[in-house]
Amino acid sequence: MITEQRKVVHKGRAFSVATHQSHASSHWLVFLHGLGCAKESFDGVFKTELAKKFSILTFDFVGFGDSDKPEGFDYTLEDQAQLTLSLIAQFNPDQVTLIGHSMGGAIGTLVAQELDNLSGFINAEGNLVAQDSGIVSRKTAKQSAAEFEASGFDTFLKILGESEEGSFHKWASWYAASSKSAIHRSSRSLVKWSDSGKLLEDFNRLPNKAFIHGDKTDISHLTSSFEDVDVFSISNSGHFMMLDNPAEFYDRIERIILLAIR
C-alpha cells in the first residue's frame, strides 16, 4: 500500500488530499468514506484478493482524516464529488468501480453521473432518501454552527467513545480528527440532498449498480423504491460492515464486480 498526498485543484484552489493506493491493473476501485470517517475505514481491502486483481484508491475527503481542512470551504456533497472526479482523473483509469459507504454513497451517486468510464457503483448503506439521514446528520444539521462547535461535536464524540459497539470506537478516532466545520456543513448538505429525493432518482438511473447493507440494518423503506438494483446483506453486521465482517464485505464486493465485467 502506498500512502501519498495528492494536490487537487477545485474552483481555483489547491487542496492536499491524503490517499492510500495499490496498483494492479487499469481498472480502479475507488472507496468513498462516510461522515466523520476516513480512508482507514477500508484498510482491510489491501489485504484481500481485490488488491491482487484491481488497483485500489482510498482517500480522505477534504475536511477529514489527513486531508486539508480549510475553514472557508463549503463542504457540500457537490464540491466533494467534483474533487473526487479530479482526483480519479489523475490516475487515468480505463475503468472505475465506485464503492461508497454512508455519506460516501451519496457522494458516489453524484460522481457516478459524470464518469464516462464507470464500470459499476456499489452503494454500502449510502444516503438515498430522507429516512437515511438518521440521528447523526439530521441532529447535527439542526444545530447552528456555533452550537455545534461549542458543544455538539464533543457531545457526539463522547457518545461514540462510550458506545458498546466496537466499530463506533474506531469511528470516534476518525471523527475526532475531522474538522468541526466539515462535519456540520457536510451534515447540512447530506440532509438537503437526502430530503430532495434526487439521490434515489440518480441511483436508480445508473447501470451496473448494487446496494449492500448490514443484516442488522432495516432497509424496508428503500426496497420498494429500487429499480433494477441488486441488494445484498452482510451477516452479523451493522452500518459499518467493513469493520463488523470484513471478509464477507469484500468477498461480496468482488463477486459483484466480477459479475459486472464478464
Side-chain angles (χ1 to χ4, degrees):
M1 181 178 71
I2 301 168
T3 299
E4 181 183 38
Q5 293 287 142
R6 287 260 176 167
K7 290 292 182 183
V8 181
V9 177
H10 178 62
K11 293 182 178 178
R13 298 176 63 185
F15 301 96
S16 181
V17 175
T19 70
H20 285 166
Q21 312 160 29
S22 66
H23 300 219
S25 78
S26 59
H27 186 159
W28 283 78
L29 311 187
V30 180
F31 289 79
L32 310 174
H33 69 74
L35 180 67
C37 296
K39 61 187 177 303
E40 285 77 13
S41 302
F42 306 110
D43 273 358
V45 71
F46 294 100
K47 304 173 185 177
T48 68
E49 289 296 312
L50 285 168
K52 298 178 182 178
K53 300 174 181 177
F54 305 95
S55 293
I56 308 292
L57 172 64
T58 69
F59 66 97
D60 296 323
F61 288 121
V62 170
F64 301 92
D66 298 316
S67 289
D68 279 349
K69 301 176 177 65
E71 285 300 314
F73 193 64
D74 288 336
Y75 295 111
T76 64
L77 301 195
E78 306 98 292
D79 282 321
Q80 298 285 17
Q82 290 303 313
L83 279 163
T84 299
L85 286 163
S86 296
L87 178 63
I88 292 172
Q90 292 186 13
F91 295 92
N92 195 30
D94 286 341
Q95 296 182 76
V96 175
T97 296
L98 296 172
I99 303 96
H101 174 243
S102 199
M103 180 184 76
I107 294 171
T109 300
L110 301 183
V111 172
Q113 309 303 313
E114 301 189 42
L115 270 180
D116 294 333
N117 53 357
L118 181 71
S119 178
F121 176 55
I122 301 172
N123 187 323
E125 289 197 21
N127 290 58
L128 291 171
V129 296
Q131 295 96 312
D132 295 326
S133 291
I135 58 173
V136 181
S137 56
R138 195 171 295 278
K139 187 174 181 180
T140 299
K142 286 182 178 179
Q143 300 175 61
S144 69
E147 289 172 332
F148 183 71
E149 297 226 2
S151 61
F153 181 90
D154 290 333
T155 296
F156 186 66
L157 182 59
K158 183 179 180 182
I159 291 171
L160 292 179
E162 294 177 348
S163 172
E164 295 181 359
E165 290 282 344
S167 59
F168 282 16
H169 295 165
K170 288 191 176 181
W171 187 10
S173 67
W174 302 326
Y175 190 92
S178 303
S179 158
K180 292 180 181 180
S181 295
I183 294 286
H184 187 255
R185 294 174 190 173
S186 295
S187 294
R188 289 196 163 182
S189 181
L190 186 58
V191 169
K192 180 180 178 181
W193 271 98
S194 299
D195 289 353
S196 72
K198 293 179 181 178
L199 289 172
L200 178 61
E201 293 175 5
D202 288 346
F203 180 65
N204 275 332
R205 282 198 297 266
L206 291 172
N208 297 329
K209 56 187 177 289
F211 189 93
I212 58 179
H213 64 97
D215 63 352
K216 298 177 184 178
T217 302
D218 181 8
I219 64 163
S220 58
H221 64 286
L222 282 174
T223 49
S224 63
S225 300
F226 280 156
E227 299 175 9
D228 192 27
V229 180
D230 292 324
V231 180
F232 305 94
S233 67
I234 306 300
S235 62
N236 303 312
S237 298
H239 187 57
F240 285 90
M241 298 152 278
M242 71 291 291
L243 303 180
D244 295 336
N245 191 346
E248 186 174 335
F249 177 75
Y250 290 115
D251 179 68
R252 174 52 65 188
I253 287 174
E254 182 178 4
R255 293 186 184 191
I256 292 170
I257 294 172
L258 292 179
L259 184 62
I261 63 177
R262 277 183 181 176

